[in-house]
Structures are given as structure tokens and as C-alpha cells.
Amino acid sequence: METVWVIINVLVLLMLTGILYWMQKKHFSFTKRVFAGLGLGVLFGAILQFIYSAESDVIAESSQWFNLIGYGYVRLLQMMVIPLIMVSIISAIMNLKGGRNLGKMSGLIIAVLILTTGVAASVGIATTLTFNLSAENIQAGAAEHEQGLLLEEKLGDVGDQTLPQQILEFIPSNPFADMTGERKSSTIAVVIFSAFIGIALLGLDRKQPEQAETFRSMIRALYAVVMRMVTLILRLTPYGILALMAKTIASTDLQVILDLIDFVLASYVALIVMFIIHMILLLLFRYNPMVYIRKALPVLTFAFTSRSSAASIPMSVQTQNKKLGVQEGIANLSASLGATMGQNGCAGIYPAMLAVMIAPTAGIDPTDWTFILTLIVVVMISSFGVAGVGGGATFASLIVLSTMNLPVALAGLLISVEPLIDMGRTALNVNGSMTAGMITGRIMKEVDEEVFKDRNQDIDIMQT
């Protein structure tokens, strides 16, 4: 009988994907289809949990089939991370004539990303202390205990490395191995390798212009192909979100979420506060925050639902360039770097909150200023090389907790609410990278004010 119910559940999911396909054929906007997928997934998941239970065998088996769509979509996103970052970095650098202002541009973007991550860590610390959160008050179930053991296993050799050794790991010794994601720091290593290719190409312009132009043509063609592949995958977003949300809601124990509701609320308070700080920064650099929010909302919505900063790169670049008036090279660089370092949500707020919560279990006073200042610095440094896909926040937390000599296993206590919080963290990550691009564009006077003020701009990457 269970098999019959599983088949029915799968057929209902397919019917819901059919609704989304119908919306696509009727030319509903991408944003509307994403929200429709989100809403249908939540509703379907809630109905499944009401009919069965989170621990039901029917739910477990149905989820296996849901994963074909949900995690199949996630794997396609992960497939494109390295190619996307490589072509974006190389293209951004090679489009700078003669390397004009490359150092200043890169320096400004990285500075904004890392400094705002430090601010985000401070916000996370303050919020955790205000809500009086502590890992000592969280009860661990079997799933949480298993996740804790898994985190300790993932830590591997990282816990035995000093901070200088961890920084040294960013430099690639075998870039082709890093393209396979062999190391935890592979993403930032690919960024560095790609930057060297772009800089070398600029030097080749002066000495061997014909060869340089040939290579430029190859990169332009590769860039076009990669972006087309990304667009094809992004069109699957509503379907992926539908399956992911249905599986997540159906298999999540609501009581566990209620037990951790203080942490969920505190996390979103911290995320909202940091978003407001981003808006204040834009205001200080003479941007109208309301105009920015209206134009950036589709990108932030996509980041929220997809939970992938890297997958948001194409939409981020187009929005910055076509809607907000930021020069294309700056937009490319800020979106790409923002997906690999200085992520305010995943690498800033989250690790800082975990460290403060776990500190009392190790006999450390989380209100001690030495601890707080050290934590902020560690968070800023460790924010380099955090991959912009699912799991980035976990890796950042492992680095921070191990560097601060805190038990990493306790981070597994929050596994039940991870997906719920990760959506908000990812949206903040992407907003931070766009803020870095906007500020850099203003300082370098590379912003088209007419484009920014134009209220008729409506760029939809799904139509390109």
C-alpha cells in the first residue's frame, strides 16, 4: 500500500511541475514562476506532512523521487560554478583597456566585501548576545548527533593548520585539480588562477597583440557558451524549488523548528539589520535605496529561493549593468568575487553566531572583548574562498570554530533549520556583492546615472 501512496505523491508533484510549465508557456515572468514554485512546494509539503508524518516511510521514499528534480537541479548549479567564475573573472579583467585601474577596482571590491563581512560578524555577535542564545540549551537528537560527527569528519586536516597555513592554501599549486573542487579552498584558488590569466592577457596586448586578440575571441566565445548554459539551467529554477521545498517541508519536524525558533528569529533579525546597513552605505554613496531595492528584487528573490550565490552571478551582472548603470567590468568582478569571498550571510553572520553560542560550552566568556575582536578578525580572514553554493556556510563555520578552538560538532545542532536560514543568508550574500559593485562604481565614476534613474528598465535574464 505504501508504494501506491508514493506513486500518487510523485504524480501530484509531476502535475504541479505541469502547472509551472504551463505558466512558462503563457509567458509568466520568471519571478512569478519562482514564487509559484515556492508556494506550491510549501503547500504540497505541508499537505504531505499533515497526511503522513515527517518520519513516515512514505515521505522518505517519496523524497527520493523528489530529489531527482530538486537535487538534480542543485547538481546542475554546482556543475556551472567553476566555469562560471573562471570566464567571469577573465572577461572582467580582459575588458579593461590596458589594465586601467584593475588594481584599484579589485582592491575596492575586495575591501568592501571583507569589511562588510566584519560588520556582519559584529551584527551576528550582538544579535546572539541580545537573544541570549547558547548551544547549552539545545537538545540534540539522533540527526543532530550524526551531523555533528559528520562535521568533525569534514574538518579533517583543517583543525591542525595554523591561520597562515590556511591562507597559504588559497594559492593554487595545481589549478586543474582545483577546478575539480579537490580542496576546500579550490574556489578561491580558481579565482586567483583566472585573475593571473586575465592579467597575462593584458600584458600580451602590448607584446603580441595578434595572439592576444585570438585568445580574447576564444574567451568571448566560451563566455557566451557558459552564459547560455547557465541560462538554460536557471530556467529550471521554479521546478527545482518546487521539489526542494516540498521535500524540505514534508520531512521537517515542525516541533524541532519550534524548539529552535529563537535561533531562526535571531538569524533573520541579524540578516535584516545587515541589509539595512547595506542600504545606509548606498545612501552614503548617493544612491536611492528604494530605486535599488525595486530593481534588485528579482535577483534577491532568485538568490533566496535557489540558495546559490554562484548561480546568481549572471542575474547580478545584468542587473548591475543594465538596471543600475554599473560598468560591466565592475559588475562582473563584484558578482564573481562576491560568490567566493566576503559573503556577509554565510561567512559573516552565521559563523559568528555559532561561535558565540558554542563558546560557553568550552568555558569561554562570549562577552570578553578579546574573544569578540579575535572572532571578528578570524571571520573576515576565513571569508575568503567560501563557495557560493549549498554548504559554504558550513565550511566557513568549520574554519572559524576550529581556529577559535571551539568544538565543531555542536554546529550540527542546527541542522533542522539550516535550509530555512540559508535562504536569507544567500540573499544577503548577493546583496553584499551588488553593494560592493555599486560603491566601487561610484568611487571610480563608472556609473551611468541615467540608467540608474530610468524607471522603465526591466531586464529579465530568462528572456536573453
Side-chain angles (χ1 to χ4, degrees):
M1 189 62 184
E2 286 185 357
T3 303
V4 174
W5 289 116
V6 170
I7 293 173
I8 292 174
N9 294 339
V10 173
L11 288 176
V12 172
L13 182 71
L14 293 176
M15 183 186 71
L16 295 177
T17 60
I19 294 174
L20 295 177
Y21 182 73
W22 173 82
M23 292 178 67
Q24 181 178 334
K25 287 298 181 181
K26 291 296 182 179
H27 304 293
F28 281 80
S29 71
F30 177 68
T31 301
K32 289 179 180 177
R33 286 185 282 122
V34 166
F35 273 115
L38 178 64
L40 290 173
V42 170
L43 179 61
F44 184 38
I47 292 173
L48 288 176
Q49 183 165 132
F50 177 77
I51 295 174
Y52 311 101
S53 68
E55 305 297 328
S56 167
D57 291 337
V58 174
I59 293 294
E61 193 170 343
S62 297
S63 296
Q64 294 294 320
W65 291 98
F66 293 177
N67 286 344
L68 290 177
I69 297 177
Y71 285 103
Y73 163 73
V74 171
R75 282 175 176 266
L76 289 175
L77 286 177
Q78 293 172 333
M79 174 184 74
M80 294 307 303
V81 170
I82 295 300
L84 186 58
I85 289 174
M86 282 195 69
V87 297
S88 296
I89 293 288
I90 296 172
S91 296
I93 295 175
M94 80 177 193
N95 289 331
L96 298 174
K97 300 186 184 303
R100 177 174 57 88
N101 293 325
L102 173 60
K104 182 179 180 181
M105 179 193 301
S106 303
L108 282 171
I109 292 172
I110 293 173
V112 174
L113 288 171
I114 301 305
L115 289 175
T116 53
T117 299
V119 175
S122 303
V123 170
I125 293 169
T127 305
T128 307
L129 293 175
T130 300
F131 277 75
N132 195 29
L133 300 178
S134 174
E136 294 177 320
N137 302 324
I138 301 176
Q139 298 297 318
E144 288 76 14
H145 181 69
E146 183 179 343
Q147 178 68 7
L149 294 176
L150 183 62
L151 290 177
E152 288 185 328
E153 184 180 333
K154 279 185 177 181
L155 184 62
D157 299 329
V158 174
D160 300 325
Q161 291 181 336
T162 64
L163 197 55
Q165 288 175 326
Q166 292 177 28
I167 297 174
L168 187 62
E169 285 294 303
F170 297 152
I171 301 175
S173 59
N174 185 346
F176 298 102
D178 284 321
M179 289 177 198
T180 67
E182 183 181 71
R183 302 181 297 143
K184 291 295 185 183
S185 57
S186 284
T187 307
I188 192 65
V190 169
V191 169
I192 294 172
F193 178 65
S194 302
F196 267 100
I197 292 176
I199 294 170
L201 180 58
L202 294 179
L204 201 63
D205 279 333
R206 296 188 295 270
K207 298 184 178 181
Q208 296 174 293
E210 291 184 5
Q211 286 86 340
E213 187 55 36
T214 299
F215 188 76
R216 282 175 182 273
S217 298
M218 292 170 56
I219 292 297
R220 291 190 190 103
L222 184 60
Y223 184 86
V225 170
V226 169
M227 286 304 179
R228 184 58 185 167
M229 290 174 66
V230 169
T231 300
L232 292 174
I233 294 171
L234 293 185
R235 286 178 176 171
L236 301 175
T237 299
Y239 309 102
I241 289 172
L242 165 65
L244 288 170
M245 292 307 299
K247 185 251 184 184
T248 300
I249 298 298
S251 59
T252 299
D253 189 339
L254 296 180
Q255 185 57 50
V256 175
I257 293 180
L258 291 176
D259 291 341
L260 295 172
I261 193 65
D262 287 348
F263 178 73
V264 174
L265 290 176
S267 296
Y268 272 93
V269 166
L271 293 171
I272 291 170
V273 169
M274 194 60 209
F275 182 82
I276 293 172
I277 291 174
H278 286 167
M279 296 305 100
I280 293 173
L281 287 174
L282 292 179
L283 188 62
L284 291 175
F285 283 89
R286 306 193 311 280
Y287 289 111
N288 185 329
M290 298 310 297
V291 173
Y292 168 83
I293 292 173
R294 182 174 62 83
K295 295 188 174 188
L297 189 58
V299 187
L300 300 181
T301 301
F302 172 77
F304 182 85
T305 50
S306 70
R307 295 170 55 196
S308 175
S309 302
S312 304
I313 290 176
M315 291 184 73
S316 175
V317 171
Q318 284 213 1
T319 299
Q320 288 185 67
N321 183 231
K322 303 296 184 183
K323 287 187 177 184
L324 300 171
V326 178
Q327 189 264 343
E328 187 176 10
I330 295 176
N332 251 311
L333 211 55
S334 65
S336 301
L337 292 176
T340 57
M341 65 179 68
Q343 295 183 4
N344 290 184
C346 289
I349 289 176
Y350 186 66
M353 291 184 71
L354 281 182
V356 173
M357 289 174 64
I358 293 173
T361 68
I364 298 174
D365 179 7
T367 62
D368 180 74
W369 277 106
T370 302
F371 171 81
I372 291 175
L373 294 176
T374 303
L375 177 59
I376 293 173
V377 172
V378 169
V379 166
M380 291 170 68
I381 295 175
S382 67
S383 70
F384 284 89
V386 177
V389 291
T394 300
F395 174 59
S397 299
L398 290 178
I399 299 296
V400 171
L401 294 177
S402 63
T403 303
M404 298 293 293
N405 295 317
L406 296 172
V408 299
L410 292 177
L413 295 173
L414 305 171
I415 179 179
S416 302
V417 293
E418 259 294 292
L420 183 61
I421 299 171
D422 195 43
M423 294 188 289
R425 291 192 310 234
T426 306
L428 185 68
N429 293 343
V430 173
N431 196 68
S433 69
M434 293 177 68
T435 299
M438 299 287 289
I439 291 175
T440 301
R442 176 68 77 198
I443 293 175
M444 300 189 67
K445 299 179 180 178
E446 294 281 2
V447 177
D448 189 329
E449 291 292 342
E450 296 302 316
V451 172
F452 180 81
K453 294 177 181 177
D454 186 357
R455 293 184 175 272
N456 297 318
Q457 290 285 348
D458 188 18
I459 306 299
D460 188 348
I461 191 173
M462 294 302 102
Q463 304 301 323
T464 60

